[in-house]
Coordinates of all heavy atoms in Angstrom, one line a residue:
L233 N -33.7 -0.9 17.0 CA -33.6 0.1 15.9 C -32.4 -0.2 15.0 O -32.5 -0.1 13.8 CB -33.5 1.5 16.5 CG -33.5 2.7 15.5 CD1 -34.8 2.7 14.8 CD2 -33.3 4.0 16.3
Q234 N -31.3 -0.7 15.6 CA -30.1 -1.0 14.8 C -30.5 -2.2 13.9 O -30.1 -2.3 12.7 CB -28.9 -1.4 15.7 CG -27.7 -1.7 15.0 CD -27.2 -0.7 14.0 OE1 -27.4 0.5 14.2 NE2 -26.5 -1.1 12.9
K235 N -31.2 -3.2 14.4 CA -31.5 -4.4 13.6 C -32.4 -4.0 12.5 O -32.2 -4.5 11.3 CB -32.2 -5.4 14.5 CG -32.4 -6.8 13.9 CD -31.1 -7.4 13.6 CE -31.2 -8.8 13.1 NZ -30.0 -9.4 12.6
L236 N -33.3 -3.1 12.7 CA -34.2 -2.6 11.6 C -33.4 -1.9 10.6 O -33.7 -2.1 9.4 CB -35.3 -1.7 12.2 CG -36.4 -1.3 11.3 CD1 -37.2 -2.6 10.9 CD2 -37.4 -0.5 12.1
R237 N -32.4 -1.1 10.9 CA -31.5 -0.5 9.9 C -30.8 -1.5 9.1 O -30.7 -1.4 7.9 CB -30.5 0.4 10.6 CG -31.1 1.7 11.0 CD -30.0 2.7 11.5 NE -30.7 3.9 12.1 CZ -30.4 4.3 13.3 NH1 -29.5 3.8 14.1 NH2 -31.0 5.4 13.7
E238 N -30.3 -2.6 9.8 CA -29.6 -3.6 9.0 C -30.5 -4.3 8.0 O -30.1 -4.6 6.9 CB -29.0 -4.6 10.0 CG -27.9 -4.1 10.9 CD -27.4 -5.0 11.9 OE1 -27.8 -6.2 11.9 OE2 -26.7 -4.6 12.8
I239 N -31.7 -4.6 8.4 CA -32.7 -5.2 7.5 C -32.9 -4.3 6.3 O -32.9 -4.8 5.2 CB -34.0 -5.6 8.3 CG1 -33.7 -6.7 9.3 CG2 -35.1 -6.0 7.3 CD1 -34.8 -6.9 10.2
F240 N -33.2 -3.0 6.6 CA -33.4 -2.1 5.4 C -32.2 -1.9 4.5 O -32.3 -1.9 3.3 CB -33.9 -0.7 6.0 CG -35.3 -0.6 6.4 CD1 -35.6 -0.2 7.6 CD2 -36.3 -1.0 5.5 CE1 -37.0 -0.2 8.0 CE2 -37.6 -0.9 5.9 CZ -38.0 -0.5 7.1
D241 N -31.0 -1.9 5.1 CA -29.8 -1.9 4.3 C -29.7 -3.1 3.5 O -29.2 -3.0 2.3 CB -28.6 -1.8 5.2 CG -28.4 -0.4 5.9 OD1 -29.1 0.6 5.4 OD2 -27.6 -0.3 6.8
A242 N -30.0 -4.3 4.0 CA -29.9 -5.6 3.2 C -30.9 -5.5 2.0 O -30.6 -5.9 0.9 CB -30.3 -6.7 4.1
F243 N -32.1 -5.0 2.3 CA -33.1 -4.8 1.2 C -32.6 -3.8 0.1 O -32.8 -4.1 -1.1 CB -34.5 -4.4 1.7 CG -35.3 -5.5 2.3 CD1 -35.8 -5.3 3.6 CD2 -35.5 -6.7 1.7 CE1 -36.5 -6.4 4.2 CE2 -36.2 -7.7 2.3 CZ -36.7 -7.5 3.5
K244 N -32.0 -2.7 0.6 CA -31.5 -1.7 -0.4 C -30.4 -2.3 -1.2 O -30.3 -2.1 -2.4 CB -31.0 -0.5 0.4 CG -30.4 0.6 -0.4 CD -31.4 1.2 -1.4 CE -30.8 2.3 -2.1 NZ -31.5 2.6 -3.4
A245 N -29.5 -3.1 -0.6 CA -28.4 -3.7 -1.3 C -28.9 -4.7 -2.4 O -28.5 -4.7 -3.5 CB -27.4 -4.4 -0.4
K246 N -29.9 -5.5 -2.0 CA -30.5 -6.4 -2.9 C -31.2 -5.7 -4.1 O -31.1 -6.1 -5.2 CB -31.6 -7.3 -2.2 CG -32.1 -8.4 -3.1 CD -33.1 -9.3 -2.3 CE -33.6 -10.3 -3.2 NZ -34.5 -11.3 -2.5
Q247 N -31.9 -4.6 -3.8 CA -32.6 -3.8 -4.8 C -31.5 -3.2 -5.8 O -31.7 -3.3 -7.0 CB -33.4 -2.7 -4.2 CG -34.1 -1.8 -5.2 CD -34.8 -0.7 -4.6 OE1 -35.0 -0.6 -3.4 NE2 -35.3 0.2 -5.4
D248 N -30.5 -2.7 -5.2 CA -29.4 -2.1 -6.0 C -28.8 -3.2 -6.9 O -28.5 -3.0 -8.1 CB -28.3 -1.5 -5.2 CG -28.7 -0.3 -4.5 OD1 -29.8 0.3 -4.8 OD2 -28.0 0.1 -3.6
L249 N -28.6 -4.4 -6.4 CA -28.0 -5.5 -7.2 C -28.9 -5.9 -8.3 O -28.4 -6.1 -9.5 CB -27.6 -6.7 -6.3 CG -26.9 -7.8 -6.9 CD1 -25.6 -7.3 -7.5 CD2 -26.6 -8.9 -5.9
L250 N -30.2 -6.0 -8.0 CA -31.1 -6.4 -9.0 C -31.2 -5.3 -10.2 O -31.3 -5.7 -11.4 CB -32.6 -6.6 -8.4 CG -32.7 -7.8 -7.6 CD1 -34.1 -7.9 -6.9 CD2 -32.4 -9.1 -8.4
E251 N -31.1 -4.0 -9.8 CA -31.1 -3.0 -10.8 C -29.8 -3.1 -11.7 O -29.9 -2.9 -12.9 CB -31.2 -1.6 -10.2 CG -32.6 -1.3 -9.6 CD -32.7 0.0 -8.9 OE1 -31.7 0.8 -9.0 OE2 -33.6 0.3 -8.2
L252 N -28.7 -3.4 -11.1 CA -27.5 -3.5 -11.8 C -27.6 -4.7 -12.8 O -27.1 -4.6 -13.9 CB -26.3 -3.7 -10.8 CG -24.9 -3.6 -11.4 CD1 -24.7 -2.2 -12.0 CD2 -23.9 -3.8 -10.3
L253 N -28.1 -5.8 -12.3 CA -28.3 -7.0 -13.2 C -29.2 -6.7 -14.3 O -29.1 -7.2 -15.5 CB -28.7 -8.2 -12.4 CG -27.8 -8.7 -11.4 CD1 -28.4 -9.9 -10.5 CD2 -26.5 -9.2 -12.1
D254 N -30.3 -5.9 -14.0 CA -31.2 -5.5 -15.1 C -30.5 -4.7 -16.2 O -30.7 -4.9 -17.4 CB -32.4 -4.7 -14.5 CG -33.5 -4.6 -15.5 OD1 -33.9 -5.5 -16.2 OD2 -34.0 -3.4 -15.5
K255 N -29.6 -3.8 -15.8 CA -28.8 -3.0 -16.7 C -27.9 -4.0 -17.5 O -27.7 -3.7 -18.7 CB -27.9 -2.0 -16.0 CG -28.6 -0.8 -15.5 CD -27.5 0.1 -14.8 CE -28.1 1.2 -14.1 NZ -27.1 2.0 -13.4
S256 N -27.4 -5.0 -16.9 CA -26.5 -5.9 -17.6 C -27.2 -6.7 -18.6 O -26.6 -7.2 -19.6 CB -25.9 -6.8 -16.5 OG -25.1 -6.1 -15.6
M257 N -28.5 -6.9 -18.5 CA -29.3 -7.6 -19.5 C -29.3 -6.9 -20.8 O -29.4 -7.5 -21.9 CB -30.7 -7.9 -19.0 CG -30.8 -8.9 -18.0 SD -32.5 -9.3 -17.5 CE -33.1 -10.2 -18.9
Q258 N -29.1 -5.6 -20.8 CA -29.1 -4.8 -22.0 C -27.8 -4.8 -22.8 O -27.7 -4.4 -23.9 CB -29.5 -3.3 -21.7 CG -30.7 -3.1 -20.9 CD -32.0 -3.8 -21.5 OE1 -32.1 -3.7 -22.7 NE2 -32.8 -4.4 -20.7
A259 N -26.7 -5.2 -22.0 CA -25.4 -5.2 -22.6 C -25.1 -6.4 -23.5 O -25.8 -7.4 -23.3 CB -24.3 -5.2 -21.5
K260 N -24.2 -6.3 -24.4 CA -23.8 -7.4 -25.2 C -22.4 -7.8 -24.7 O -21.5 -7.0 -24.7 CB -23.7 -7.0 -26.7 CG -25.0 -6.7 -27.3 CD -25.7 -8.0 -27.5 CE -27.1 -7.7 -28.2 NZ -27.9 -8.9 -28.2
G261 N -22.3 -9.0 -24.2 CA -21.0 -9.5 -23.7 C -20.9 -9.2 -22.2 O -21.8 -8.8 -21.5
V262 N -19.6 -9.2 -21.7 CA -19.3 -9.1 -20.3 C -19.3 -7.7 -19.9 O -18.9 -6.8 -20.6 CB -17.9 -9.7 -20.0 CG1 -17.5 -9.5 -18.6 CG2 -17.9 -11.2 -20.4
S263 N -19.9 -7.4 -18.7 CA -19.9 -6.1 -18.1 C -19.1 -6.2 -16.8 O -19.3 -7.2 -16.1 CB -21.3 -5.5 -17.8 OG -22.0 -5.4 -19.0
I264 N -18.4 -5.2 -16.5 CA -17.6 -5.2 -15.2 C -17.8 -3.9 -14.5 O -17.7 -2.8 -15.1 CB -16.1 -5.3 -15.5 CG1 -15.8 -6.5 -16.4 CG2 -15.2 -5.3 -14.2 CD1 -14.4 -6.5 -17.0
F265 N -18.2 -4.0 -13.2 CA -18.5 -2.8 -12.4 C -17.6 -3.0 -11.2 O -17.7 -3.9 -10.4 CB -19.9 -2.8 -11.9 CG -20.9 -2.8 -13.1 CD1 -21.4 -4.0 -13.5 CD2 -21.3 -1.7 -13.7 CE1 -22.3 -4.1 -14.6 CE2 -22.2 -1.7 -14.7 CZ -22.7 -2.9 -15.2
I266 N -16.6 -2.0 -11.1 CA -15.6 -2.1 -10.0 C -15.9 -1.0 -9.0 O -15.9 0.2 -9.3 CB -14.2 -2.0 -10.5 CG1 -13.9 -3.1 -11.5 CG2 -13.2 -1.9 -9.4 CD1 -12.6 -2.9 -12.3
G267 N -16.2 -1.4 -7.8 CA -16.5 -0.5 -6.7 C -17.6 0.6 -7.0 O -18.7 0.2 -7.3
E268 N -17.2 1.8 -6.9 CA -18.1 2.9 -7.1 C -18.7 3.0 -8.5 O -19.7 3.7 -8.8 CB -17.5 4.2 -6.7 CG -17.2 4.3 -5.2 CD -16.4 5.6 -4.9 OE1 -16.1 6.4 -5.8 OE2 -16.1 5.8 -3.7
E269 N -18.0 2.3 -9.5 CA -18.6 2.4 -10.9 C -20.0 1.8 -11.0 O -20.7 2.1 -12.0 CB -17.7 1.5 -11.8 CG -16.3 2.1 -12.0 CD -15.5 1.2 -12.9 OE1 -15.9 0.2 -13.5 OE2 -14.3 1.5 -13.0
S270 N -20.4 1.0 -10.0 CA -21.8 0.5 -10.1 C -22.8 1.6 -9.9 O -23.9 1.4 -10.3 CB -21.9 -0.6 -9.0 OG -21.9 -0.1 -7.7
G271 N -22.4 2.6 -9.2 CA -23.3 3.7 -9.0 C -24.2 3.5 -7.7 O -25.1 4.3 -7.4
Y272 N -23.9 2.5 -6.9 CA -24.7 2.2 -5.8 C -23.8 2.1 -4.5 O -22.8 1.4 -4.5 CB -25.4 0.8 -5.9 CG -26.4 0.8 -7.1 CD1 -26.1 0.2 -8.3 CD2 -27.6 1.5 -7.0 CE1 -26.9 0.2 -9.4 CE2 -28.4 1.5 -8.1 CZ -28.1 0.9 -9.3 OH -28.9 0.9 -10.4
N273 N -24.1 2.8 -3.5 CA -23.3 2.9 -2.3 C -23.2 1.6 -1.6 O -22.1 1.3 -1.1 CB -24.0 3.9 -1.3 CG -23.8 5.3 -1.7 OD1 -22.9 5.7 -2.5 ND2 -24.7 6.2 -1.3
A274 N -24.2 0.7 -1.7 CA -24.1 -0.6 -1.0 C -23.1 -1.5 -1.7 O -22.7 -2.4 -1.1 CB -25.5 -1.2 -1.0
L275 N -22.7 -1.2 -2.9 CA -21.7 -2.1 -3.6 C -20.3 -1.4 -3.8 O -19.5 -1.9 -4.6 CB -22.3 -2.4 -5.0 CG -23.7 -3.0 -4.9 CD1 -24.3 -3.1 -6.3 CD2 -23.6 -4.4 -4.3
T276 N -20.0 -0.4 -3.1 CA -18.7 0.3 -3.3 C -17.5 -0.5 -2.9 O -16.4 -0.3 -3.5 CB -18.7 1.6 -2.5 OG1 -18.9 1.4 -1.1 CG2 -19.7 2.6 -3.0
D277 N -17.7 -1.5 -2.1 CA -16.6 -2.4 -1.7 C -16.5 -3.7 -2.5 O -15.8 -4.6 -2.2 CB -16.6 -2.7 -0.2 CG -16.3 -1.5 0.6 OD1 -15.6 -0.6 0.2 OD2 -16.9 -1.5 1.7
C278 N -17.4 -3.8 -3.5 CA -17.5 -5.0 -4.3 C -17.2 -4.7 -5.8 O -17.3 -3.6 -6.3 CB -18.9 -5.5 -4.2 SG -19.4 -5.9 -2.6
S279 N -16.9 -5.8 -6.5 CA -16.9 -5.7 -8.0 C -17.9 -6.8 -8.5 O -18.1 -7.8 -7.8 CB -15.5 -6.1 -8.5 OG -14.6 -5.0 -8.2
I280 N -18.4 -6.5 -9.6 CA -19.4 -7.4 -10.2 C -19.0 -7.6 -11.7 O -18.8 -6.6 -12.4 CB -20.8 -6.8 -10.1 CG1 -21.1 -6.5 -8.6 CG2 -21.9 -7.7 -10.7 CD1 -22.3 -5.6 -8.4
V281 N -19.0 -8.9 -12.1 CA -18.7 -9.2 -13.4 C -19.9 -10.0 -13.9 O -20.3 -11.0 -13.3 CB -17.4 -10.2 -13.6 CG1 -17.2 -10.5 -15.0 CG2 -16.2 -9.4 -13.0
T282 N -20.5 -9.5 -15.0 CA -21.8 -10.1 -15.5 C -21.7 -10.4 -17.0 O -20.9 -9.7 -17.7 CB -23.0 -9.2 -15.2 OG1 -22.9 -8.0 -16.0 CG2 -23.2 -8.8 -13.8
A283 N -22.6 -11.3 -17.4 CA -22.7 -11.5 -18.9 C -24.2 -12.1 -19.1 O -24.6 -12.9 -18.3 CB -21.7 -12.6 -19.4
P284 N -24.8 -11.5 -20.0 CA -26.2 -12.0 -20.3 C -26.2 -13.3 -21.1 O -25.2 -13.6 -21.7 CB -26.8 -10.9 -21.2 CG -25.6 -10.3 -21.9 CD -24.5 -10.4 -20.9
Y285 N -27.2 -14.1 -20.9 CA -27.4 -15.3 -21.7 C -28.7 -15.2 -22.5 O -29.6 -14.6 -22.0 CB -27.2 -16.6 -20.9 CG -28.1 -16.7 -19.7 CD1 -29.3 -17.4 -19.8 CD2 -27.7 -16.2 -18.5 CE1 -30.1 -17.5 -18.7 CE2 -28.5 -16.4 -17.4 CZ -29.7 -17.0 -17.5 OH -30.5 -17.1 -16.4
E286 N -28.7 -15.9 -23.6 CA -29.9 -15.8 -24.5 C -30.4 -17.1 -24.9 O -29.8 -18.1 -24.8 CB -29.4 -15.1 -25.8 CG -28.9 -13.7 -25.7 CD -28.4 -13.1 -27.0 OE1 -28.3 -13.7 -28.0 OE2 -28.2 -11.8 -27.0
R287 N -31.7 -17.0 -25.3 CA -32.4 -18.2 -26.0 C -33.2 -17.6 -27.1 O -33.9 -16.7 -26.9 CB -33.3 -18.9 -24.9 CG -34.0 -20.0 -25.5 CD -34.8 -20.8 -24.5 NE -35.4 -21.9 -25.2 CZ -36.3 -22.7 -24.6 NH1 -36.7 -22.5 -23.3 NH2 -36.8 -23.7 -25.2
D288 N -33.0 -18.2 -28.3 CA -33.6 -17.8 -29.5 C -33.3 -16.3 -29.8 O -34.2 -15.5 -30.2 CB -35.1 -18.0 -29.4 CG -35.5 -19.5 -29.3 OD1 -34.7 -20.3 -29.8 OD2 -36.5 -19.8 -28.6
G289 N -32.1 -15.8 -29.5 CA -31.8 -14.4 -29.7 C -32.3 -13.4 -28.7 O -32.1 -12.2 -28.9
L290 N -33.0 -13.9 -27.8 CA -33.6 -13.0 -26.7 C -32.8 -13.2 -25.4 O -32.7 -14.3 -25.0 CB -35.0 -13.2 -26.5 CG -35.9 -12.9 -27.8 CD1 -37.4 -13.4 -27.4 CD2 -35.9 -11.5 -28.1
C291 N -32.5 -12.1 -24.7 CA -31.9 -12.2 -23.4 C -32.9 -12.7 -22.4 O -34.0 -12.2 -22.3 CB -31.3 -10.8 -23.0 SG -30.4 -10.9 -21.4
V292 N -32.5 -13.8 -21.7 CA -33.4 -14.4 -20.7 C -32.9 -14.3 -19.3 O -33.6 -14.6 -18.4 CB -33.8 -15.9 -21.1 CG1 -34.6 -15.9 -22.3 CG2 -32.5 -16.7 -21.2
G293 N -31.6 -13.9 -19.2 CA -31.1 -13.7 -17.8 C -29.7 -13.2 -17.9 O -29.1 -13.0 -18.9
V294 N -29.1 -13.0 -16.7 CA -27.8 -12.6 -16.5 C -27.1 -13.5 -15.5 O -27.6 -13.8 -14.4 CB -27.7 -11.1 -16.0 CG1 -26.3 -10.7 -15.7 CG2 -28.4 -10.2 -17.0
L295 N -25.9 -13.8 -15.9 CA -25.0 -14.6 -14.9 C -24.0 -13.6 -14.4 O -23.5 -12.8 -15.2 CB -24.3 -15.7 -15.7 CG -23.4 -16.6 -14.9 CD1 -24.3 -17.7 -14.2 CD2 -22.4 -17.2 -15.8
G296 N -23.7 -13.7 -13.1 CA -22.7 -12.8 -12.6 C -22.0 -13.3 -11.4 O -22.4 -14.3 -10.7
V297 N -20.9 -12.7 -11.1 CA -20.0 -13.0 -9.9 C -19.8 -11.7 -9.2 O -19.5 -10.7 -9.7 CB -18.7 -13.5 -10.4 CG1 -17.7 -13.7 -9.2 CG2 -18.8 -14.9 -11.0
V298 N -20.1 -11.7 -7.9 CA -19.9 -10.6 -7.0 C -18.7 -11.0 -6.1 O -18.7 -12.0 -5.5 CB -21.1 -10.3 -6.1 CG1 -20.8 -9.1 -5.2 CG2 -22.3 -10.0 -7.0
G299 N -17.8 -10.1 -6.0 CA -16.6 -10.4 -5.2 C -15.9 -9.1 -4.7 O -16.4 -8.0 -5.0
P300 N -14.8 -9.2 -4.1 CA -14.1 -8.1 -3.6 C -13.5 -7.3 -4.8 O -13.3 -7.8 -5.9 CB -12.9 -8.6 -2.8 CG -12.7 -10.0 -3.3 CD -14.1 -10.5 -3.8
T301 N -13.2 -6.0 -4.6 CA -12.7 -5.2 -5.8 C -11.3 -5.7 -6.3 O -11.0 -5.4 -7.4 CB -12.5 -3.7 -5.3 OG1 -11.7 -3.6 -4.1 CG2 -13.9 -3.1 -5.1
R302 N -10.6 -6.5 -5.5 CA -9.3 -7.0 -5.9 C -9.4 -8.5 -6.3 O -8.4 -9.2 -6.1 CB -8.3 -6.8 -4.8 CG -8.0 -5.4 -4.5 CD -6.9 -5.2 -3.5 NE -6.6 -3.8 -3.2 CZ -5.6 -3.2 -3.7 NH1 -4.8 -3.7 -4.6 NH2 -5.5 -1.9 -3.4
M303 N -10.5 -8.9 -6.9 CA -10.6 -10.3 -7.3 C -9.7 -10.5 -8.5 O -9.4 -9.6 -9.2 CB -12.1 -10.6 -7.6 CG -12.7 -10.1 -8.9 SD -14.3 -10.8 -9.2 CE -15.4 -9.5 -8.7
P304 N -9.4 -11.8 -8.9 CA -8.6 -12.1 -10.0 C -9.4 -12.0 -11.3 O -9.9 -13.0 -11.8 CB -8.1 -13.5 -9.7 CG -9.2 -14.1 -8.9 CD -9.7 -13.0 -8.0
Y305 N -9.5 -10.8 -11.8 CA -10.3 -10.6 -13.0 C -9.9 -11.4 -14.2 O -10.7 -11.8 -15.0 CB -10.3 -9.0 -13.4 CG -10.9 -8.1 -12.4 CD1 -10.1 -7.5 -11.5 CD2 -12.2 -8.0 -12.3 CE1 -10.6 -6.7 -10.5 CE2 -12.8 -7.1 -11.3 CZ -11.9 -6.5 -10.4 OH -12.5 -5.7 -9.5
E306 N -8.6 -11.6 -14.3 CA -8.1 -12.4 -15.5 C -8.7 -13.8 -15.5 O -8.7 -14.5 -16.5 CB -6.6 -12.4 -15.5 CG -5.9 -13.2 -14.4 CD -5.8 -12.4 -13.1 OE1 -6.3 -11.3 -13.0 OE2 -5.3 -13.1 -12.1
K307 N -9.1 -14.3 -14.3 CA -9.7 -15.7 -14.3 C -11.2 -15.6 -14.3 O -11.9 -16.4 -14.9 CB -9.2 -16.3 -13.0 CG -7.8 -16.6 -12.9 CD -7.4 -17.3 -11.6 CE -5.9 -17.5 -11.6 NZ -5.4 -18.1 -10.3
I308 N -11.8 -14.6 -13.6 CA -13.2 -14.5 -13.5 C -13.9 -14.1 -14.8 O -15.0 -14.7 -15.2 CB -13.6 -13.5 -12.4 CG1 -13.0 -13.9 -11.0 CG2 -15.1 -13.3 -12.3 CD1 -13.5 -15.2 -10.5
I309 N -13.4 -13.2 -15.5 CA -14.1 -12.7 -16.7 C -14.3 -13.8 -17.7 O -15.4 -14.0 -18.2 CB -13.3 -11.5 -17.3 CG1 -13.4 -10.3 -16.4 CG2 -13.8 -11.2 -18.7 CD1 -12.4 -9.1 -16.7
P310 N -13.2 -14.6 -18.1 CA -13.5 -15.7 -19.1 C -14.5 -16.7 -18.5 O -15.3 -17.3 -19.3 CB -12.1 -16.3 -19.3 CG -11.1 -15.4 -18.7 CD -11.9 -14.5 -17.8
V311 N -14.5 -17.0 -17.2 CA -15.4 -18.0 -16.7 C -16.8 -17.5 -16.8 O -17.7 -18.3 -17.2 CB -15.0 -18.3 -15.2 CG1 -16.1 -19.2 -14.5 CG2 -13.7 -19.1 -15.2
V312 N -17.1 -16.3 -16.5 CA -18.4 -15.7 -16.6 C -18.9 -15.7 -18.0 O -20.0 -16.1 -18.4 CB -18.5 -14.3 -16.0 CG1 -19.8 -13.6 -16.3 CG2 -18.3 -14.4 -14.5
D313 N -18.0 -15.3 -18.9 CA -18.3 -15.2 -20.4 C -18.7 -16.6 -20.9 O -19.7 -16.8 -21.6 CB -17.2 -14.6 -21.1 CG -17.5 -14.4 -22.6 OD1 -18.7 -14.1 -22.9 OD2 -16.5 -14.4 -23.4
V314 N -17.8 -17.6 -20.7 CA -18.0 -18.9 -21.2 C -19.2 -19.6 -20.6 O -20.0 -20.2 -21.3 CB -16.7 -19.8 -21.1 CG1 -17.0 -21.2 -21.3 CG2 -15.6 -19.2 -21.9
T315 N -19.4 -19.4 -19.3 CA -20.5 -20.0 -18.7 C -21.8 -19.5 -19.2 O -22.8 -20.2 -19.4 CB -20.5 -19.8 -17.1 OG1 -19.2 -20.3 -16.7 CG2 -21.6 -20.6 -16.4
A316 N -21.9 -18.2 -19.4 CA -23.2 -17.6 -20.0 C -23.4 -18.1 -21.4 O -24.6 -18.4 -21.7 CB -23.0 -16.0 -20.0
R317 N -22.4 -18.2 -22.2 CA -22.5 -18.8 -23.5 C -23.0 -20.3 -23.5 O -23.9 -20.7 -24.2 CB -21.3 -18.7 -24.3 CG -20.9 -17.2 -24.7 CD -19.5 -17.2 -25.3 NE -19.0 -15.9 -25.3 CZ -18.9 -15.1 -26.4 NH1 -19.4 -15.6 -27.6 NH2 -18.4 -13.9 -26.4
V318 N -22.4 -21.0 -22.6 CA -22.8 -22.5 -22.5 C -24.2 -22.6 -22.0 O -25.0 -23.4 -22.5 CB -21.8 -23.2 -21.5 CG1 -22.3 -24.6 -21.2 CG2 -20.4 -23.3 -22.2
L319 N -24.6 -21.7 -21.1 CA -26.0 -21.8 -20.6 C -27.0 -21.4 -21.7 O -28.0 -22.0 -21.9 CB -26.1 -20.8 -19.4 CG -27.5 -20.7 -18.7 CD1 -27.9 -22.1 -18.2 CD2 -27.4 -19.7 -17.6
G320 N -26.6 -20.4 -22.5 CA -27.5 -20.0 -23.6 C -27.6 -21.2 -24.7 O -28.7 -21.5 -25.1
H321 N -26.5 -21.9 -24.9 CA -26.6 -23.0 -25.9 C -27.4 -24.2 -25.3 O -28.1 -24.8 -26.0 CB -25.1 -23.5 -26.2 CG -24.4 -22.6 -27.1 ND1 -24.8 -22.2 -28.3 CD2 -23.2 -21.9 -26.9 CE1 -23.9 -21.4 -28.9 NE2 -23.0 -21.1 -28.0
A322 N -27.2 -24.4 -23.9 CA -28.0 -25.5 -23.3 C -29.5 -25.2 -23.3 O -30.3 -26.1 -23.6 CB -27.5 -25.6 -21.8
L323 N -29.8 -23.9 -23.1 CA -31.3 -23.5 -23.2 C -31.8 -23.7 -24.6 O -32.9 -24.1 -24.8 CB -31.5 -22.1 -22.7 CG -31.2 -21.8 -21.2 CD1 -31.3 -20.3 -21.0 CD2 -32.3 -22.6 -20.4
A324 N -31.0 -23.4 -25.6 CA -31.4 -23.5 -27.0 C -31.6 -25.0 -27.4 O -32.5 -25.3 -28.2 CB -30.4 -22.9 -27.9
A325 N -30.8 -25.9 -26.8 CA -30.9 -27.3 -27.0 C -32.2 -27.9 -26.4 O -32.6 -29.0 -26.8 CB -29.7 -28.0 -26.6
L326 N -32.8 -27.2 -25.5 CA -34.0 -27.8 -24.8 C -35.3 -27.7 -25.8 O -36.3 -28.2 -25.4 CB -34.3 -27.0 -23.6 CG -33.3 -27.2 -22.5 CD1 -33.6 -26.3 -21.3 CD2 -33.2 -28.7 -22.0
Q327 N -35.2 -27.1 -26.9 CA -36.4 -26.9 -27.7 C -36.8 -28.3 -28.3 O -36.2 -29.1 -28.7 CB -36.0 -26.0 -28.9 CG -35.9 -24.6 -28.3 CD -35.6 -23.6 -29.5 OE1 -35.5 -23.9 -30.6 NE2 -35.5 -22.3 -29.1

């Protein structure tokens, strides 16, 4: 019974994370969710930094970092932002 609960908890956490990334696709630029700000119980001990990337002006995905609430934001935020922009430019160059 305990193993089954753990499996369901893992699925719930994955579903919550996917919903959060889906919300991030609507944002322009970097989004930061610290602990309870995500709105999901499974992510209360985590922080998530996301940035959408685009191709031809359309959002095609979200790049993100999940870490502890005390992660070095001053380092993570620019890396996520720049990586999402580089990925978008790389996808545009594939045409």
Side-chain angles (χ1 to χ4, degrees):
L233 188 58
Q234 179 61 29
K235 190 63 171 175
L236 192 56
R237 282 189 187 126
E238 290 174 12
I239 291 170
F240 281 124
D241 288 345
F243 282 127
K244 178 65 175 155
K246 184 176 180 179
Q247 179 184 352
D248 291 347
L249 186 57
L250 289 174
E251 288 177 12
L252 191 62
L253 293 175
D254 192 44
K255 285 182 190 177
S256 297
M257 288 184 75
Q258 309 303 320
K260 292 289 182 191
V262 176
S263 296
I264 304 165
F265 305 94
I266 301 173
E268 295 176 358
E269 290 178 8
S270 69
Y272 300 104
N273 289 334
L275 302 172
T276 56
D277 294 329
C278 301
S279 287
I280 303 163
V281 179
T282 64
Y285 55 92
E286 299 178 348
R287 180 175 182 186
D288 298 327
L290 298 173
C291 182
V292 293
V294 174
L295 180 83
V297 171
V298 178
T301 54
R302 295 184 180 260
M303 72 169 103
Y305 296 98
E306 70 280 358
K307 294 178 182 177
I308 300 297
I309 293 169
V311 168
V312 170
D313 186 32
V314 169
T315 304
R317 291 173 194 255
V318 168
L319 184 55
H321 289 299
L323 290 172
L326 293 176
Q327 293 181 357

